[in-house]
Amino acid sequence: MTSLGVIEGFYGRPWDHGTRIQMLGWLAALGIDGYLYAPKSDPWLRRRWRDTWPSSELALLAGLATEGRAVGINVGVGLSPFALYRAYDARARADLQARITMLVSCGVDFIALLFDDMPGDTDALAERQAEIANDVHVWAGETALRLCPTYYSDDPMLDEFFGARPESYLIELVGQLPADCFPFWTGPQVCSSAIPKAHLEQLAQRLGRPVALWDNYPVNDSRSRSPHLYLSPLEDRTPAESTVLESHWCNAMNQAALSLPALASLAALHGRDQSAGADVFASAGLTPELIRACRPLAEHALGDLGGEQRHELSLLGEASSPAARELSAWLAGEYVFDPACLTD
């Protein structure tokens, strides 16, 4: 079966630790079996990855891994060693080995080496990233390894922001990776409205291995998407054989509880048992009235809400549930995109 997972991989306001623990239980009930901790705002995973990590941060990771095992969720951590491939010398290699050893000691089930949202204008980019990945694969031992390339879609937006991709970059990179390391891919676009099965089949054939789909829905962390909430099910996705699609991951919204309708549709898409879905929604405070009122917010931005619609939503946000609290904070502008969060 294709593995299913949820990524906390967005910019901006991350989830708090209590929410993450709660999310693991919700995901397990929905039939989702993976969770990747990779919020862009965690400096220890990105710009400050070489620094000494606070013991409190390591304790949180270890706690997530323990809770995941208790409910049957594979917990991973995404490490983004910023621009490491520009100077992968002996010092850098030692620093990286120390961090991988540290993460393995936290008991996580897998490590995701994330080269996304970094400049790609480097000589021998694929060769250097493959060298790093193979080192990490050795150091991680039995802990599984995943990898996100710098160019994780054919979307020309990536070339615009991070430099023109080297010719044959993806094929060269994947061809040098360990056989059990599956590359993340977001589909035809960075945020793909549709991901045809034929697209995934052609990619898997090009790469000679199955793909790990990083689905950027319902994530809402960009300037254009943060004024919206996305509670509708996944659309225009078709399950593929495990020989084509190794895993399907959804990048969640900054609002964890409000992400659940979309995440439940991921499980339903792949035929997971949905009998516990009603209990999950009830635990999160996702009443039919709240879901119905929020679904139009995929089209109607926060700043464009009329007085009557805002009043209706504010009344729903007065409840004490997780979903209501997130809705209230969103209405108050607490999730509005801040360009300063784009640290890279």
Side-chain angles (χ1 to χ4, degrees):
M1 295 177 67
T2 298
S3 296
L4 305 182
V6 168
I7 307 169
E8 184 185 349
F10 42 75
Y11 288 96
R13 178 174 167 176
W15 301 339
D16 60 52
H17 188 63
T19 296
R20 293 184 188 110
I21 296 296
Q22 195 168 35
M23 178 61 85
L24 293 178
W26 287 334
L27 297 181
L30 291 174
I32 293 172
D33 49 68
Y35 161 78
L36 174 58
Y37 173 80
K40 295 291 196 291
S41 60
D42 187 333
W44 312 107
L45 296 180
R46 295 178 69 77
R47 288 286 190 177
R48 301 186 61 185
W49 70 271
R50 293 179 192 252
D51 294 351
T52 301
W53 290 26
S55 58
S56 57
E57 292 293 318
L58 298 178
L60 291 179
L61 286 178
L64 282 173
T66 298
E67 183 64 25
R69 282 191 293 275
V71 298
I73 297 286
N74 292 315
V75 172
V77 59
L79 183 66
S80 300
F82 187 77
L84 174 66
Y85 46 83
R86 290 191 184 277
Y88 192 52
D89 53 20
R91 174 64 182 274
R93 193 169 183 271
D95 288 343
L96 182 61
Q97 182 176 9
R99 289 294 159 263
I100 297 303
T101 300
M102 181 189 70
L103 292 174
V104 169
S105 71
C106 290
V108 297
D109 297 291
F110 66 96
I111 293 170
L113 190 58
L114 307 180
F115 292 127
D116 59 311
D117 296 353
M118 298 182 194
D121 53 346
T122 300
D123 290 338
L125 180 66
E127 181 180 353
R128 185 66 59 241
Q129 291 181 345
E131 178 186 4
I132 295 170
N134 279 284
D135 281 345
V136 171
H137 187 262
V138 171
W139 299 329
E142 295 183 359
T143 303
L145 174 66
R146 296 180 179 276
L147 181 140
C148 185
T150 299
Y151 300 96
Y152 47 83
S153 167
D154 289 328
D155 195 330
M157 178 189 300
L158 297 177
D159 303 76
E160 178 182 347
F161 280 100
F162 305 115
R165 71 190 70 198
E167 187 177 356
S168 302
Y169 160 76
L170 189 65
I171 293 176
E172 289 183 10
L173 170 62
V174 174
Q176 299 175 69
L177 295 179
D180 57 353
C181 179
F182 301 100
F184 281 121
W185 185 255
T186 65
Q189 287 86 41
V190 172
C191 293
S192 298
S193 57
I195 305 177
K197 182 179 179 181
H199 170 83
L200 297 174
E201 290 174 339
Q202 291 166 8
L203 180 64
Q205 185 175 23
R206 280 170 54 199
L207 300 181
R209 72 181 67 192
V211 179
L213 181 59
W214 178 309
D215 199 331
N216 273 322
Y217 184 85
V219 67
N220 63 340
D221 62 348
S222 68
R223 186 188 300 276
S224 62
R225 293 175 68 89
S226 69
H228 298 273
L229 295 175
Y230 299 96
L231 277 75
S232 294
L234 285 164
E235 295 180 346
D236 298 318
R237 276 91 166 137
T238 304
E241 297 78 10
S242 59
T243 54
V244 170
L245 191 62
E246 180 270 338
S247 55
H248 189 168
W249 301 76
C250 278
N251 196 7
M253 293 194 289
N254 296 76
Q255 302 82 13
L258 293 175
S259 296
L260 286 171
L263 303 182
S265 76
L266 169 67
L269 175 68
H270 292 275
R272 301 299 195 267
D273 181 8
Q274 293 293 288
S275 60
D279 291 339
V280 170
F281 281 27
S283 172
L286 286 162
T287 64
E289 294 78 14
L290 187 145
I291 294 174
R292 185 168 54 250
C294 286
R295 278 193 170 150
L297 299 177
E299 303 296 333
H300 300 158
L302 175 60
D304 297 333
L305 297 181
E308 183 177 344
Q309 188 178 15
R310 182 180 284 272
H311 178 66
E312 178 189 3
L313 291 167
S314 65
L315 291 177
L316 291 169
E318 291 178 354
S320 60
S321 70
R325 289 193 294 271
E326 290 173 356
L327 175 59
S328 179
W330 181 82
L331 288 168
E334 295 180 21
Y335 291 100
V336 171
F337 177 76
D338 177 4
C341 76
L342 294 171
T343 56
D344 299 335

